[in-house]
Amino acid sequence: MAAPRNRKHILVPGPPTAEEYKPHGRKIDVPKPAPPTSRAKHGKALERALKAAVVEANRRRDEAGIEVHGAAPGLYVQFESQPGVPLQVTSFEDSRQGIEVVAVSYSKTDEPEPRRIERATVFVPDGKVKHFLKRFESYSKTTPKKERERRYEDMIDPVATLRLATLRGLWTDTTEAYPEENETIWWEVWLRRQDGNELERLMEFAAAQEIDIVPRRLMFDDRIVTLVRSAPAQLAASIDVLNDVAEVRKAKETSTVFVDMGPEDQGEWAKELRNRVTPPSADAPAVCVLDTGVTRGHALLEASLDADDCHSCDPAWGTHDHLGHGTGMAGLALYGDLTPILAGTQNVVLRHRLESVKILPPDGHPVNPPDLYGAVTAEAASRAEIQAPERRRTFSMSIAATDERDRGQPTSWSAAVDALAAGRSFDPSTQGLEYLDEGEDSARRLFVLCAGNVAETTLSVDHLDRSDTDPIHDPGQAWNALTVGAVTEKAVINDPKWASWQPVARPGELSPWSTTGVTFADAWPIKPDVVFEGGNVVKNARGAVDFPCPDLSLLSTYFEPSDKSFVLSWATSAATAQAARLAALISAEYPTYWPETLRALVVHSAKWSAQMRTHLRGASGKRARAKLVQRYGFGVPSAERAMRSANDALTLVAQSSIRPFTEGKMRELHFFDLPWPRDVLAELGATPVRLRITLSYFIEPNPGRRGWKKRHRYASHGLRFDVKGPTESSEEFRKRLNKKALEEDEAKPATGGDSSEWYLGEQARNRGSLHSDILSCNAADLAERGVIAVYPVSGWWKDQPKRDRSDLGARYALVVSIETPGVETDIWTPVAQQVGVQVVVET
């Protein structure tokens, strides 16, 4: 029988050992494309195409007849790859001459087995076309190659053709989302940041073309994002008369239609529960609900939500809940599912508070454009923080885009969430997210986001197949957020009105509402991170699906308490509010833990249900397991595991900061010689035990769609962990990881480092900015594995040294747990004694 979880987690005292780091070289064989039949002919053809593009660009500029003050002329050239061959994207750039890759997009060939075609759109200032013409000339030479002579084969061999780019050439969204020529839509226009006058030039162009621009915008290090309403025919001339446009995408629209339940008189229930509730203290951490507002006057919410903590992104909207969704989320974020609490008699002591920021407009106001929700999210965070700057908070957002076209790719919204999490702030002077250098102590933020829902009209009896093909909705792909899908344990129907119906999902299975990251490419993070209860739906004998069935739904607070007190809730919205609640509970228990650490502990506490494990056991190999993790995340978290250790289940927590790079090279490696129950584990000998490690950190985003390779990578940096092998010494471990630790002419040790020991392994777990894995081994082996390394891998900080913030440090949280299932032993006390923690048994 497992020991009770009545011990606190142990915070590792003192910093890790840091040393200069140089990774061992790795030989990576990159297959080269077959050269064209004649490089001379190919080079000449590209030369002719480029010259024709210059002529066409001048003609289009003259036809546009628009002059914008301060716009430096140039042209956009689109390079297209051979089918199945990647372009050497960075080879097209030359920053000294102002030549820049602004957008990279992809399509597929129309073949029985489609191959990918890559397109890179490059801005070339007037007078700089000769840069490419000289390369084509060198490439076309047929004379013998001289020593050290460059002919640019790696750059030009993959290119099939080039042409003058149209507006479609700057389109980095899905092909099918591109509008018809005269169809008016809202566009996200991404501008290159150059001299500070980009917006003024765009507004001058917009005035000439009679198109609309919204005042809200996002600002990243090298990009400004704003919204423009026009047809392609109106906007197309922008690439001929402006040199600022980098890429265009379709603006996001959010779902503002939420379900409302029929009225019931539930006031007495609410009153009875309110009398059992002890409100939170004034300095308690908060869940900040970003939604449709919250009805503060609800009997179960009023004492936990001060009037001063209710905000709105637009004062004209008011702070009240106009739709009901926000109040429902607030109830779940404060109490969790109300059903068991109402049915019980126990007192409820609240340890966290609520805040509310209204981010969606109420009915009756003019129809708004699809807003830059990244800027809205930034403004919402700012309003809460200005009111209570010292309060610890978790942001909970159960609002997502309605489309699914991003499939893991970063967007302006998800990148804004990543930037906010990493410590960037909203600057009211620009009405956007200003990417400011704020220093080492800038506040990090934990955002808990919904994965997004399968549409009501597509709910299916074959719900796993539907969920696997419905990808997570924007901004749920954000690297730094905790993204929450839905699971369900609700499968018993007692209501006689639903007697002829059966639950669709089995207990412990993915909820039919939940979207997944199964279709995400390997470059993007594992999403969702975790799953919480999201309710079930029902089916009849004919295979029809219906909802909501009260027995299969959660219960929360209703936004019009004079009508009724409670409302049913379900799907990933409800799951997200519960996840935010758990993060706030951990923060209340461990006030010094960082947002990175709270995220780590929620994920670290998660386990796959028995039903999920039936699929995991059937998975063949680590890649198949990784796909299943993209369905369920790391499983269902447990408040007990997230907040408490036990005698036989020890959790160690380390918080530190590493400097990844210096002058474009690797800089620092950390070693933790952890307080370790070595003697107890050694005595257990061959007894099976489990080691789990979770590494959590926040990256800084680089969101432009320019291929995300080399200097245009999305993440500022990456971190990885490794564990000393049971038979290698600490010195051998150092030398295995760090080339600088080797003596002159010494070879890299061959011991340790076997990724096959781990459940997921390096390929699956090393995605995104949160890495978690499980090692099952015998206790004697684990006794010798108390040394763990954390080290950097490349990111755009390394590739762009002038923008590198490594000197300020990159924070991370490392969570390590040991479990000895089925064995009565005490591994917690020896470690507590090593670090000087008082041994107190909690009740």
Side-chain angles (χ1 to χ4, degrees), residues 12 104 142 177 258 277 298 315 331 398 484 492 521 542 579 601 621 632 695 723 741 770 784 827:
V12 176
V104 176
T142 57
F258 303 100
V277 171
H298 195 290
S398 295
V484 186
V492 177
R542 299 187 304 275
L601 282 167
Y632 302 114
L695 176 64
V723 182
L770 187 145
E784 303 300 326
I827 56 175

Side-chain angles (χ1 to χ4, degrees), residues 158 175 496 547 663:
T175 303
F547 73 95
E663 298 179 352

Side-chain angles (χ1 to χ4, degrees), residues 258-441:
F258 303 100
V259 254
D260 186 7
M261 312 305 298
E264 280 183 48
D265 182 11
Q266 302 160 343
E268 289 303 314
W269 282 5
K271 183 178 178 181
E272 190 276 334
L273 176 55
R274 182 184 60 189
N275 292 334
R276 292 189 275 124
V277 171
T278 301
S281 63
D283 62 350
V287 173
C288 184
V289 179
L290 310 182
D291 214 290
T292 60
V294 173
T295 300
R296 180 178 171 270
H298 195 290
L300 296 179
L301 303 179
E302 187 172 8
S304 302
L305 177 60
D306 290 347
D308 289 345
D309 291 326
C310 295
H311 311 280
S312 175
C313 283
D314 185 336
W317 298 348
T319 62
H320 65 288
D321 187 352
H322 62 275
L323 204 55
H325 194 258
T327 304
M329 296 305 99
L332 291 168
L334 192 61
Y335 296 98
D337 187 0
L338 281 173
T339 303
I341 301 175
L342 289 167
T345 59
Q346 72 277 18
N347 292 330
V348 178
V349 179
L350 296 175
R351 301 187 64 191
H352 65 287
R353 308 184 58 79
L354 291 174
E355 297 173 332
S356 168
V357 186
K358 190 171 187 170
I359 65 172
L360 291 177
D363 295 337
H365 282 248
V367 177
N368 285 346
D371 217 330
L372 270 175
Y373 281 95
V376 173
T377 306
E379 183 174 345
S382 174
R383 290 183 180 272
E385 291 170 343
I386 289 171
Q387 170 60 30
E390 301 301 320
R391 181 178 291 157
R392 289 168 287 128
R393 59 176 55 80
T394 296
F395 293 96
S396 178
M397 189 163 65
S398 295
I399 302 290
T402 53
D403 60 71
E404 305 165 350
R405 64 183 186 265
D406 301 300
R407 296 184 181 270
Q409 294 186 106
T411 63
S412 64
W413 194 357
S414 71
V417 170
D418 283 334
L420 289 164
R424 303 303 194 180
S425 290
F426 179 73
D427 184 350
S429 68
T430 63
Q431 288 298 298
L433 180 66
E434 185 66 47
Y435 217 52
L436 303 172
D437 288 335
E438 296 182 340
E440 187 174 8
D441 295 324

Side-chain angles (χ1 to χ4, degrees), residues 10-12 14 594 597 652-656 672 674 812-816:
I10 295 176
L11 186 65
V12 176
W594 298 339
T597 314
L652 298 168
V653 176
Q655 299 181 143
S656 191
F672 289 90
L674 294 172
Y812 65 87
L814 183 69
V815 180
V816 181

Side-chain angles (χ1 to χ4, degrees), residues 77-81 85-93 100-107 116-123 168-174 223 246-249 409-410 524 703-709 712:
V77 180
Q78 186 178 75
F79 293 85
E80 183 174 297
S81 76
V85 178
L87 295 171
Q88 299 294 318
V89 173
T90 55
S91 68
F92 299 127
E93 290 195 307
E100 179 185 349
V101 174
V102 295
V104 176
S105 59
Y106 307 93
S107 64
R116 190 163 87 160
I117 294 173
E118 188 171 18
R119 296 184 178 92
T121 302
V122 182
F123 176 76
R168 190 183 286 268
L170 298 183
W171 180 260
T172 57
D173 224 326
T174 55
R223 292 290 184 264
E247 55 180 297
V248 291
R249 310 179 192 177
Q409 294 186 106
W524 308 123
R705 291 186 178 172
R706 289 178 282 174
W708 291 303
K709 298 174 184 176
H712 299 311

